[in-house]
Amino acid sequence: MNRVHHPVCCIEVEAGSAREALRCDDAEIWIDADSILISYFDDEGMVVLEGRPEPSGGWQLVARSRPWRAFLRPIGDSPDNLAGEIDEQGESVSWRVRLGPDPGSAEN
């Protein structure tokens, strides 16, 4: 297996009726040809989503310990920028993932 680890990633989740907007710049992501695993922290603790690639080029994900489903797809010309939706018990919100540190962070 040729799994690529992205140890520093930035995740942004839009606000919904039951949640505040979230920005986490210390997420971790592992990707290989057959799977994706994303972990980050929100106000309720650790979020772990795992999924499989779709023929469309995106990823369908399911949370391990929460009733969430999600979708991500590459945006623009860079495979390092992904966007999609998270469905939390019937409410969908947009989210974005940047593989690597946020360009505005102190790590750059």
PDB file of all heavy atoms in Angstrom, residues 3 5 10-11 15-16 21 32 41 43 47-48 64 70-72 75-77 84 87 94 108:
ATOM      1  N   ARG A   3       0.379   4.622   1.016  1.00  0.00           N
ATOM      2  CA  ARG A   3      -0.431   5.623   1.727  1.00  0.00           C
ATOM      3  C   ARG A   3       0.396   6.881   1.943  1.00  0.00           C
ATOM      4  O   ARG A   3       1.513   6.825   2.420  1.00  0.00           O
ATOM      5  CB  ARG A   3      -0.879   5.063   3.060  1.00  0.00           C
ATOM      6  CG  ARG A   3      -1.738   6.048   3.838  1.00  0.00           C
ATOM      7  CD  ARG A   3      -2.345   5.403   5.013  1.00  0.00           C
ATOM      8  NE  ARG A   3      -3.517   4.684   4.533  1.00  0.00           N
ATOM      9  CZ  ARG A   3      -4.390   4.098   5.317  1.00  0.00           C
ATOM     10  NH1 ARG A   3      -4.223   4.084   6.608  1.00  0.00           N
ATOM     11  NH2 ARG A   3      -5.443   3.494   4.820  1.00  0.00           N
ATOM     12  N   HIS A   5       0.752  10.368   3.941  1.00  0.00           N
ATOM     13  CA  HIS A   5       0.331  11.020   5.180  1.00  0.00           C
ATOM     14  C   HIS A   5       0.529  12.519   5.034  1.00  0.00           C
ATOM     15  O   HIS A   5       1.601  12.974   4.666  1.00  0.00           O
ATOM     16  CB  HIS A   5       1.160  10.477   6.345  1.00  0.00           C
ATOM     17  CG  HIS A   5       0.825  11.103   7.655  1.00  0.00           C
ATOM     18  ND1 HIS A   5       1.772  11.414   8.582  1.00  0.00           N
ATOM     19  CD2 HIS A   5      -0.357  11.473   8.209  1.00  0.00           C
ATOM     20  CE1 HIS A   5       1.208  11.933   9.653  1.00  0.00           C
ATOM     21  NE2 HIS A   5      -0.085  11.990   9.444  1.00  0.00           N
ATOM     22  N   CYS A  10      -5.449  21.901   7.007  1.00  0.00           N
ATOM     23  CA  CYS A  10      -6.397  22.894   7.490  1.00  0.00           C
ATOM     24  C   CYS A  10      -7.798  22.488   7.047  1.00  0.00           C
ATOM     25  O   CYS A  10      -8.015  22.178   5.882  1.00  0.00           O
ATOM     26  CB  CYS A  10      -6.039  24.263   6.926  1.00  0.00           C
ATOM     27  SG  CYS A  10      -7.142  25.569   7.471  1.00  0.00           S
ATOM     28  N   ILE A  11      -8.736  22.494   8.005  1.00  0.00           N
ATOM     29  CA  ILE A  11     -10.127  22.160   7.720  1.00  0.00           C
ATOM     30  C   ILE A  11     -10.999  23.328   8.149  1.00  0.00           C
ATOM     31  O   ILE A  11     -10.834  23.869   9.235  1.00  0.00           O
ATOM     32  CB  ILE A  11     -10.541  20.872   8.455  1.00  0.00           C
ATOM     33  CG1 ILE A  11      -9.773  19.694   7.858  1.00  0.00           C
ATOM     34  CG2 ILE A  11     -12.048  20.668   8.394  1.00  0.00           C
ATOM     35  CD1 ILE A  11     -10.071  18.361   8.473  1.00  0.00           C
ATOM     36  N   ALA A  15     -20.856  27.205   9.350  1.00  0.00           N
ATOM     37  CA  ALA A  15     -21.844  27.129  10.429  1.00  0.00           C
ATOM     38  C   ALA A  15     -23.152  26.567   9.889  1.00  0.00           C
ATOM     39  O   ALA A  15     -23.492  26.749   8.726  1.00  0.00           O
ATOM     40  CB  ALA A  15     -22.074  28.513  11.024  1.00  0.00           C
ATOM     41  N   GLY A  16     -23.864  25.883  10.755  1.00  0.00           N
ATOM     42  CA  GLY A  16     -25.195  25.385  10.444  1.00  0.00           C
ATOM     43  C   GLY A  16     -26.125  25.777  11.576  1.00  0.00           C
ATOM     44  O   GLY A  16     -25.725  26.460  12.518  1.00  0.00           O
ATOM     45  N   ALA A  21     -19.314  27.753  13.076  1.00  0.00           N
ATOM     46  CA  ALA A  21     -18.269  27.535  12.081  1.00  0.00           C
ATOM     47  C   ALA A  21     -17.015  27.014  12.796  1.00  0.00           C
ATOM     48  O   ALA A  21     -16.767  27.336  13.955  1.00  0.00           O
ATOM     49  CB  ALA A  21     -17.957  28.829  11.337  1.00  0.00           C
ATOM     50  N   ASP A  32      -4.650   6.917   0.192  1.00  0.00           N
ATOM     51  CA  ASP A  32      -4.052   5.989  -0.761  1.00  0.00           C
ATOM     52  C   ASP A  32      -5.058   5.792  -1.895  1.00  0.00           C
ATOM     53  O   ASP A  32      -6.094   6.460  -1.923  1.00  0.00           O
ATOM     54  CB  ASP A  32      -3.609   4.676  -0.101  1.00  0.00           C
ATOM     55  CG  ASP A  32      -4.744   3.849   0.462  1.00  0.00           C
ATOM     56  OD1 ASP A  32      -5.860   3.893  -0.082  1.00  0.00           O
ATOM     57  OD2 ASP A  32      -4.512   3.147   1.456  1.00  0.00           O
ATOM     58  N   PHE A  41     -10.063  17.917  15.397  1.00  0.00           N
ATOM     59  CA  PHE A  41     -10.823  18.174  16.617  1.00  0.00           C
ATOM     60  C   PHE A  41     -11.825  19.294  16.390  1.00  0.00           C
ATOM     61  O   PHE A  41     -11.518  20.288  15.738  1.00  0.00           O
ATOM     62  CB  PHE A  41      -9.892  18.572  17.773  1.00  0.00           C
ATOM     63  CG  PHE A  41      -9.109  17.415  18.312  1.00  0.00           C
ATOM     64  CD1 PHE A  41      -7.859  17.113  17.807  1.00  0.00           C
ATOM     65  CD2 PHE A  41      -9.636  16.619  19.316  1.00  0.00           C
ATOM     66  CE1 PHE A  41      -7.134  16.040  18.304  1.00  0.00           C
ATOM     67  CE2 PHE A  41      -8.923  15.540  19.818  1.00  0.00           C
ATOM     68  CZ  PHE A  41      -7.673  15.250  19.304  1.00  0.00           C
ATOM     69  N   ASP A  43     -15.411  21.145  18.796  1.00  0.00           N
ATOM     70  CA  ASP A  43     -15.784  21.433  20.182  1.00  0.00           C
ATOM     71  C   ASP A  43     -16.210  20.202  20.968  1.00  0.00           C
ATOM     72  O   ASP A  43     -16.207  20.209  22.193  1.00  0.00           O
ATOM     73  CB  ASP A  43     -16.908  22.472  20.224  1.00  0.00           C
ATOM     74  CG  ASP A  43     -16.435  23.832  19.755  1.00  0.00           C
ATOM     75  OD1 ASP A  43     -15.223  24.090  19.792  1.00  0.00           O
ATOM     76  OD2 ASP A  43     -17.290  24.635  19.350  1.00  0.00           O
ATOM     77  N   VAL A  47     -12.864  14.112  15.630  1.00  0.00           N
ATOM     78  CA  VAL A  47     -13.692  13.686  14.510  1.00  0.00           C
ATOM     79  C   VAL A  47     -12.807  12.817  13.623  1.00  0.00           C
ATOM     80  O   VAL A  47     -11.699  13.222  13.264  1.00  0.00           O
ATOM     81  CB  VAL A  47     -14.200  14.895  13.694  1.00  0.00           C
ATOM     82  CG1 VAL A  47     -14.989  14.434  12.481  1.00  0.00           C
ATOM     83  CG2 VAL A  47     -15.017  15.827  14.561  1.00  0.00           C
ATOM     84  N   VAL A  48     -13.274  11.636  13.279  1.00  0.00           N
ATOM     85  CA  VAL A  48     -12.558  10.753  12.363  1.00  0.00           C
ATOM     86  C   VAL A  48     -13.524  10.353  11.259  1.00  0.00           C
ATOM     87  O   VAL A  48     -14.580   9.775  11.524  1.00  0.00           O
ATOM     88  CB  VAL A  48     -12.017   9.496  13.074  1.00  0.00           C
ATOM     89  CG1 VAL A  48     -11.317   8.583  12.068  1.00  0.00           C
ATOM     90  CG2 VAL A  48     -11.073   9.878  14.195  1.00  0.00           C
ATOM     91  N   ARG A  64     -16.688   7.865  12.063  1.00  0.00           N
ATOM     92  CA  ARG A  64     -16.627   6.645  12.873  1.00  0.00           C
ATOM     93  C   ARG A  64     -17.536   6.705  14.097  1.00  0.00           C
ATOM     94  O   ARG A  64     -18.104   5.701  14.479  1.00  0.00           O
ATOM     95  CB  ARG A  64     -15.195   6.394  13.338  1.00  0.00           C
ATOM     96  CG  ARG A  64     -14.301   5.895  12.255  1.00  0.00           C
ATOM     97  CD  ARG A  64     -12.968   5.517  12.833  1.00  0.00           C
ATOM     98  NE  ARG A  64     -12.108   4.919  11.835  1.00  0.00           N
ATOM     99  CZ  ARG A  64     -10.859   4.608  12.056  1.00  0.00           C
ATOM    100  NH1 ARG A  64     -10.315   4.848  13.247  1.00  0.00           N
ATOM    101  NH2 ARG A  64     -10.134   4.055  11.113  1.00  0.00           N
ATOM    102  N   ALA A  70     -20.200  12.489   4.554  1.00  0.00           N
ATOM    103  CA  ALA A  70     -19.546  13.646   3.940  1.00  0.00           C
ATOM    104  C   ALA A  70     -19.103  13.295   2.528  1.00  0.00           C
ATOM    105  O   ALA A  70     -18.978  12.127   2.162  1.00  0.00           O
ATOM    106  CB  ALA A  70     -18.344  14.083   4.781  1.00  0.00           C
ATOM    107  N   PHE A  71     -18.849  14.333   1.763  1.00  0.00           N
ATOM    108  CA  PHE A  71     -18.323  14.192   0.418  1.00  0.00           C
ATOM    109  C   PHE A  71     -17.250  15.252   0.227  1.00  0.00           C
ATOM    110  O   PHE A  71     -17.396  16.378   0.700  1.00  0.00           O
ATOM    111  CB  PHE A  71     -19.429  14.379  -0.632  1.00  0.00           C
ATOM    112  CG  PHE A  71     -18.935  14.238  -2.036  1.00  0.00           C
ATOM    113  CD1 PHE A  71     -18.642  12.991  -2.554  1.00  0.00           C
ATOM    114  CD2 PHE A  71     -18.733  15.351  -2.829  1.00  0.00           C
ATOM    115  CE1 PHE A  71     -18.166  12.852  -3.852  1.00  0.00           C
ATOM    116  CE2 PHE A  71     -18.258  15.230  -4.125  1.00  0.00           C
ATOM    117  CZ  PHE A  71     -17.975  13.983  -4.639  1.00  0.00           C
ATOM    118  N   LEU A  72     -16.170  14.885  -0.428  1.00  0.00           N
ATOM    119  CA  LEU A  72     -15.096  15.822  -0.791  1.00  0.00           C
ATOM    120  C   LEU A  72     -14.713  15.599  -2.239  1.00  0.00           C
ATOM    121  O   LEU A  72     -14.757  14.474  -2.732  1.00  0.00           O
ATOM    122  CB  LEU A  72     -13.841  15.577   0.056  1.00  0.00           C
ATOM    123  CG  LEU A  72     -13.750  16.196   1.422  1.00  0.00           C
ATOM    124  CD1 LEU A  72     -12.475  15.733   2.118  1.00  0.00           C
ATOM    125  CD2 LEU A  72     -13.780  17.715   1.350  1.00  0.00           C
ATOM    126  N   ILE A  75     -10.828  20.798  -5.861  1.00  0.00           N
ATOM    127  CA  ILE A  75     -11.307  22.035  -6.475  1.00  0.00           C
ATOM    128  C   ILE A  75     -10.142  22.733  -7.147  1.00  0.00           C
ATOM    129  O   ILE A  75      -9.000  22.638  -6.694  1.00  0.00           O
ATOM    130  CB  ILE A  75     -11.994  22.973  -5.463  1.00  0.00           C
ATOM    131  CG1 ILE A  75     -11.070  23.299  -4.289  1.00  0.00           C
ATOM    132  CG2 ILE A  75     -13.286  22.362  -4.962  1.00  0.00           C
ATOM    133  CD1 ILE A  75     -11.621  24.366  -3.367  1.00  0.00           C
ATOM    134  N   GLY A  76     -10.437  23.411  -8.214  1.00  0.00           N
ATOM    135  CA  GLY A  76      -9.385  24.122  -8.933  1.00  0.00           C
ATOM    136  C   GLY A  76      -8.384  23.162  -9.552  1.00  0.00           C
ATOM    137  O   GLY A  76      -8.659  21.986  -9.747  1.00  0.00           O
ATOM    138  N   ASP A  77      -7.209  23.681  -9.842  1.00  0.00           N
ATOM    139  CA  ASP A  77      -6.160  22.889 -10.481  1.00  0.00           C
ATOM    140  C   ASP A  77      -5.284  22.142  -9.494  1.00  0.00           C
ATOM    141  O   ASP A  77      -4.460  21.334  -9.887  1.00  0.00           O
ATOM    142  CB  ASP A  77      -5.269  23.793 -11.345  1.00  0.00           C
ATOM    143  CG  ASP A  77      -6.027  24.388 -12.513  1.00  0.00           C
ATOM    144  OD1 ASP A  77      -7.025  23.769 -12.941  1.00  0.00           O
ATOM    145  OD2 ASP A  77      -5.628  25.458 -12.997  1.00  0.00           O
ATOM    146  N   GLY A  84     -16.479  20.158  -0.200  1.00  0.00           N
ATOM    147  CA  GLY A  84     -17.639  19.291  -0.263  1.00  0.00           C
ATOM    148  C   GLY A  84     -18.659  19.650   0.777  1.00  0.00           C
ATOM    149  O   GLY A  84     -18.743  20.802   1.214  1.00  0.00           O
ATOM    150  N   ASP A  87     -23.046  16.033   5.934  1.00  0.00           N
ATOM    151  CA  ASP A  87     -24.450  15.878   6.293  1.00  0.00           C
ATOM    152  C   ASP A  87     -24.508  15.343   7.715  1.00  0.00           C
ATOM    153  O   ASP A  87     -24.079  14.233   8.000  1.00  0.00           O
ATOM    154  CB  ASP A  87     -25.144  14.905   5.347  1.00  0.00           C
ATOM    155  CG  ASP A  87     -26.631  14.785   5.614  1.00  0.00           C
ATOM    156  OD1 ASP A  87     -27.074  15.076   6.745  1.00  0.00           O
ATOM    157  OD2 ASP A  87     -27.357  14.400   4.695  1.00  0.00           O
ATOM    158  N   SER A  94     -21.184  23.135   4.152  1.00  0.00           N
ATOM    159  CA  SER A  94     -19.998  23.045   3.301  1.00  0.00           C
ATOM    160  C   SER A  94     -18.745  22.943   4.153  1.00  0.00           C
ATOM    161  O   SER A  94     -18.689  23.469   5.262  1.00  0.00           O
ATOM    162  CB  SER A  94     -19.891  24.282   2.409  1.00  0.00           C
ATOM    163  OG  SER A  94     -20.996  24.339   1.536  1.00  0.00           O
ATOM    164  N   ASN A 108       4.290  28.799   7.695  1.00  0.00           N
ATOM    165  CA  ASN A 108       4.798  29.124   6.352  1.00  0.00           C
ATOM    166  C   ASN A 108       5.823  30.203   6.404  1.00  0.00           C
ATOM    167  O   ASN A 108       5.866  31.031   7.193  1.00  0.00           O
ATOM    168  CB  ASN A 108       3.649  29.526   5.429  1.00  0.00           C
ATOM    169  CG  ASN A 108       2.855  28.327   5.009  1.00  0.00           C
ATOM    170  OD1 ASN A 108       3.388  27.215   4.894  1.00  0.00           O
ATOM    171  ND2 ASN A 108       1.573  28.530   4.790  1.00  0.00           N
TER     172      ASN A 108
END
